[in-house]
Amino acid sequence: MAKLILFWGEKNNPSFTWRLSANQGDGSPQTPAHYNYQLESKEILKADLACIADMAQSNSVTLVLSSIDIATAQVEVPNKAQRLLRKAVPYMLEDEIATSVDDLFFAFAERNKNNQLPVRGIERVYLESLLEQFKLAEIRLSEIVVDIDLLSSPEEGITLLMTESQCLTVDDKSVRWHCHPDDFTWLIQKQISDDDLEDELPVAIPLNIYSEQPTDEFVHQLPVGRFAPQHHQVSDVFEFMLEQERKGINLLQAEYEPKKESSRLTDFLIKVASIAGFVLLTHLIYQGSNIYTLSEKKQQLDAQKITLYKQAFPGTKKIRNPEKSMRTYIKNIGSSSGSGDFLSLLISSSELLTDLSKIYPTNINYENTRSELRLDVIASDLVILDNYAEALKASGHQVEKSSETKRGDGYSSRLIIRK
């Protein structure tokens, strides 16, 4: 992706200049970017900002502001966290800035060679108006930088970029400042006087001047013998700043930092994840309600077990586990005890009840000490009752039959069955 650089100029300038660059500021060689956006001029009125919206959609947009509208400073600060610096730095610069620090937003960079923190201050109202203006034009800004920060520091001496309205200066110690061309001579002389020591001999300072216009008159105004000026004619100061391949301090920090734009695929995946999360949550709620319902039913069944156990064994006082106690009891009464155990006796007796419509049991009782099964039955007639008793005897059982009693249409009797 190429970069669309907008040189905004001063706040009150009615127009701005745009450039396209394939350089991303990573030190790789810059290659020309060729696009046909049908714009006749590279200078556009700020009121017509929306006309570059199509160009901005396919490029990373960098806004370059003029140093005239930005407070530039370097301060010595302790090694504190960034959030603490944002509170302390404004009040460290309170006496050096004419505008109230409460009305400014400060952006920081990494400390330079001299362990000083470069600081840039911009009026919040101005910054927010810019962001709103670009938002209305549907242009997303990747960064906002200051023109003076685009200049690379020289290995020795001073680099000066001069235009009609200002001089941008940076020295070999990365100290940056700007002024009007008419004020440069006395400001640089004052700075040199403060830096010089009385016992040191003056040495000519290399001064590389870059401008579109001739600088003979400007050079003649410099202090004699203090500089070794060398003029470099440039055809376009904006292209010159882009060729410096230096990344400036991004003013979009803290609360103004742009949020990352998500792609369509990311949005789709987020929606899918949201739906899946909702379905999973619904499933968990449903399963949770089922678990709660089943736990309630289990408690009810446990209560019923205890009630039934008390009914079957009224003499029992403590009931810890009725199911376990019942299994133990059944196991004991069903365990092998010769040939007269309860279960085998019950099974062998019940197998002969082939037609429950003619004969059926009403009560079963087992006497464990005598190993005998007491079976109360009702038969439709005496013949069927006698036949059932004979069938038991034929299968190897000992049967004692009590007297028959007339009950409705049938006859009842008790059979005592042994092996």
Side-chain angles (χ1 to χ4, degrees):
M1 180 181 291
K3 291 179 69 173
L4 174 62
I5 300 94
L6 308 180
F7 293 92
W8 199 248
E10 298 179 28
K11 182 191 305 184
N12 298 325
N13 284 359
S15 62
F16 68 94
T17 302
W18 65 271
R19 294 289 187 275
L20 270 174
S21 173
N23 183 31
Q24 295 296 315
D26 56 0
S28 57
Q30 181 175 347
T31 57
H34 299 285
Y35 298 95
N36 182 16
Y37 290 104
Q38 298 180 352
L39 294 177
E40 297 180 357
S41 174
K42 290 192 174 182
E43 185 172 351
I44 302 175
L45 292 176
K46 294 179 180 179
D48 297 332
L49 177 63
C51 70
I52 65 168
D54 292 339
M55 191 189 314
Q57 287 181 356
S58 56
N59 296 283
S60 173
V61 182
T62 298
L63 181 64
V64 182
L65 301 182
S66 173
S67 302
I68 296 176
D69 302 317
I70 305 297
T72 304
Q74 293 189 120
V75 294
E76 293 184 4
V77 294
N79 294 325
K80 297 293 184 180
Q82 192 83 348
R83 58 185 180 86
L84 298 178
L85 291 179
R86 293 201 174 278
K87 295 180 180 180
V89 168
Y91 298 99
M92 297 174 65
L93 299 173
E94 191 171 15
D95 297 335
E96 301 180 18
I97 301 176
T99 308
S100 172
V101 294
D102 295 331
D103 298 333
L104 297 177
F105 171 75
F106 292 91
F108 310 134
E110 298 294 332
R111 290 175 175 82
N112 57 21
K113 302 176 183 177
N114 301 326
N115 201 28
Q116 291 184 326
L117 181 71
V119 180
R120 304 293 180 263
I122 180 174
E123 292 182 355
R124 289 184 179 270
V125 175
Y126 180 39
L127 177 59
E128 291 172 359
S129 67
L130 287 173
L131 296 177
E132 182 64 22
Q133 187 174 356
F134 277 84
K135 181 180 179 181
L136 293 176
E138 298 183 353
I139 299 175
R140 179 181 174 81
L141 290 174
S142 300
E143 57 181 353
I144 299 179
V145 297
V146 186
D147 52 9
I148 196 173
D149 290 325
L150 299 181
L151 298 180
S152 299
S153 300
E155 295 182 0
E156 183 182 8
I158 300 174
T159 294
L160 171 63
L161 177 62
M162 189 171 66
T163 64
E164 294 182 358
S165 59
Q166 64 176 338
C167 290
L168 304 179
T169 307
V170 57
D171 61 16
D172 50 10
K173 298 179 181 179
S174 296
V175 176
R176 301 172 186 273
W177 55 280
H178 65 92
C179 65
H180 192 274
D182 295 340
D183 300 328
F184 180 83
T185 301
W186 72 271
L187 286 174
I188 193 64
Q189 189 169 358
K190 180 178 182 301
Q191 180 180 343
I192 293 174
S193 300
D194 295 338
D195 295 341
D196 283 347
L197 298 176
E198 294 181 358
D199 55 348
E200 287 186 348
L201 295 175
V203 178
I205 301 172
L207 177 62
N208 292 295
I209 305 173
Y210 299 87
S211 69
E212 295 179 358
Q213 306 297 329
T215 58
D216 296 340
E217 183 178 352
F218 176 83
V219 171
H220 291 158
Q221 297 176 358
L222 295 174
V224 178
R226 299 311 310 268
F227 293 99
Q230 185 173 359
H231 177 253
H232 304 272
Q233 187 80 24
V234 295
S235 58
D236 189 333
V237 293
F238 303 118
E239 293 290 347
F240 170 76
M241 284 190 281
L242 296 181
E243 291 171 359
Q244 299 295 296
E245 299 179 359
R246 186 180 187 278
K247 189 175 180 62
I249 301 174
N250 190 0
L251 302 184
L252 296 179
Q253 301 179 9
E255 64 266 32
Y256 299 109
E257 186 174 358
K259 297 180 180 179
K260 293 183 179 179
E261 249 182 33
S262 57
S263 63
R264 291 183 179 180
L265 177 59
T266 304
D267 293 338
F268 174 75
L269 293 177
I270 291 175
K271 290 180 181 179
V272 171
S274 301
I275 295 173
F278 176 76
V279 173
L280 178 60
L281 179 61
T282 305
H283 176 71
L284 292 176
I285 293 174
Y286 174 72
Q287 293 297 331
S289 63
N290 285 342
I291 292 173
Y292 176 78
T293 303
L294 291 175
S295 63
E296 289 290 327
K297 289 183 178 180
K298 183 179 180 300
Q299 292 178 1
Q300 295 175 4
L301 291 174
D302 291 340
Q304 291 178 6
K305 286 180 187 178
I306 296 174
T307 302
L308 292 174
Y309 190 83
K310 287 182 178 179
Q311 292 176 356
F313 305 95
T316 306
K317 295 182 179 180
K318 294 183 179 180
I319 305 173
R320 294 182 178 179
N321 192 335
E323 184 177 357
K324 183 178 180 181
S325 301
M326 185 66 74
R327 288 181 182 276
T328 303
Y329 177 77
I330 295 297
K331 183 178 181 181
N332 291 334
I333 65 174
S335 61
S336 177
S337 57
S339 60
D341 61 276
F342 170 68
L343 291 180
S344 61
L345 193 59
L346 179 62
I347 293 172
S348 61
S349 301
S350 61
E351 287 177 347
L352 299 175
L353 295 173
T354 57
D355 192 351
L356 294 179
S357 63
K358 295 179 180 180
I359 182 170
Y360 59 90
T362 59
N363 187 38
I364 298 175
N365 190 14
Y366 180 73
E367 182 62 40
N368 191 32
T369 58
R370 298 181 180 181
S371 298
E372 60 183 23
L373 181 66
R374 298 176 181 180
L375 185 63
D376 295 334
V377 298
I378 295 178
S380 59
D381 56 45
L382 294 175
V383 176
I384 294 175
L385 183 59
D386 292 338
N387 291 339
Y388 177 62
E390 292 298 328
L392 288 172
K393 293 177 181 179
S395 63
H397 295 83
Q398 299 178 10
V399 181
E400 293 182 9
K401 185 174 65 168
S402 65
S403 59
E404 296 85 359
T405 304
K406 179 69 174 175
R407 181 173 293 185
D409 295 336
Y411 297 90
S412 65
S413 179
R414 169 170 287 189
L415 301 177
I416 301 175
I417 306 170
R418 304 183 190 90
K419 272 289 188 180

